[in-house]
Amino acid sequence: MPTSRSYRDSCAIARALDVVGERWALLVVRELLLAPQRFSELRRALPHVSSNLLADRLRELEDKGVIHRPAPTEGPRAYELTERGRKLEPILMALSDWGMDAPQPPPPSSLSATSVLIFLQRAARPDPAAPPTSCRLELEGRVWTVRLASGRVEVQPGEPATAAASLRTEPMTLSALLTDPATLDTACADGSATVVGDLSAIDRLLRAVTEPWPSGDQPAATQERHSEVAVPHSR
């Protein structure tokens, strides 16, 4: 059943936690940052939550105006963030930065496609002088367009209009490749990753995280942070 618990504290922090402080609530928000998702997709992205508990969190977040379900054009209705829910993004990114130094969870652990794509989008700094390049990325059966342009990486759901290369893999493998791009050939050889098209385009994408191009519009401290960035999971 959805919870109605409250801290009964008038502080704005406590009132915010009354809305999104329940277990799994913020991870649901994380999963919706890049694209709407159906219940089955959220269940797959969060394998350690029960269906009943996930349904409760979704109802609570919907009742509190954090998410909503527009009328579908076809198939089941997907959940997406409201304008108010979207305002949680910088809070989640700050939590991500803070959590980089936290210990890894005990196995078996999971890593969602959205999680690793958010990291990729934030951490990658490709050469701003290089021509724009689009790659097709397929994770867990869902396709994403990853565009490298103007020294940044942008991730969007759906098929690219054109792509220099396509990479199909799993989130954990992509995370490992972002840690060590030199293992791409090995991953292709053992079948954990499949590349079609220009292999160098995928290599450039991966190395934009481990070998970031210094960005002139970033503070020096931020440049240094990107040079020592760690992916959320590597194994």
Side-chain angles (χ1 to χ4, degrees):
M1 294 291 293
T3 180
S4 59
R5 290 181 296 188
S6 170
Y7 287 104
R8 297 181 181 273
D9 188 320
S10 294
C11 169
I13 296 173
R15 286 184 284 134
L17 290 174
D18 281 346
V19 177
V20 294
E22 291 293 334
R23 187 167 173 81
W24 300 104
L26 283 177
L27 293 187
V28 169
V29 174
R30 179 199 70 190
E31 288 304 310
L32 300 178
L33 286 176
L34 294 183
Q37 295 199 47
R38 299 182 178 92
F39 183 89
S40 59
E41 293 169 327
L42 289 167
R43 185 70 182 84
R44 181 175 183 177
L46 302 169
H48 301 296
V49 62
S50 70
S51 294
N52 288 342
L53 183 53
L54 177 58
D56 286 347
R57 290 296 92 89
L58 290 169
R59 282 193 291 270
E60 292 163 7
L61 291 171
E62 194 169 10
D63 289 344
K64 293 170 181 175
V66 178
I67 64 175
H68 69 137
R69 289 180 293 170
T73 55
E74 59 181 33
R77 296 168 71 185
Y79 294 89
E80 63 180 44
L81 293 173
T82 62
E83 182 178 351
R84 177 169 172 77
R86 179 64 61 182
K87 292 178 181 179
L88 288 165
E89 182 170 1
I91 297 169
L92 284 171
M93 297 306 100
L95 281 172
S96 174
D97 293 341
W98 187 84
M100 283 295 183
D101 295 327
Q104 292 283 354
S109 61
S110 63
L111 180 66
S112 74
T114 298
S115 179
V116 71
L117 289 172
I118 289 172
F119 171 80
L120 172 62
Q121 183 169 257
R122 295 186 72 221
R125 291 293 179 268
D127 181 359
T133 303
S134 291
C135 297
R136 179 184 186 274
L137 189 57
E138 184 176 339
L139 297 171
E140 298 181 328
R142 187 165 190 173
V143 175
W144 303 84
T145 295
V146 182
R147 179 173 169 79
L148 294 78
S150 303
R152 299 193 179 278
V153 165
E154 180 182 1
V155 177
Q156 294 183 329
E159 293 277 358
T162 60
S166 175
L167 170 64
R168 185 176 72 249
T169 188
E170 295 298 316
M172 284 288 194
T173 301
L174 177 57
S175 181
L177 290 171
L178 291 172
T179 302
D180 186 3
T183 61
L184 178 58
D185 288 342
T186 301
C188 290
D190 66 21
S192 58
T194 301
V195 175
V196 177
D198 185 359
L199 187 67
S200 67
I202 300 299
D203 185 69
R204 174 189 165 202
L205 172 64
L206 299 175
R207 293 184 186 278
V209 172
T210 56
E211 303 170 12
W213 192 271
S215 174
D217 61 357
Q218 289 180 284
T222 304
Q223 293 182 23
E224 180 179 356
R225 178 173 169 269
H226 281 299
S227 70
E228 299 176 354
V229 74
V231 296
H233 289 265
S234 60
R235 292 290 184 272

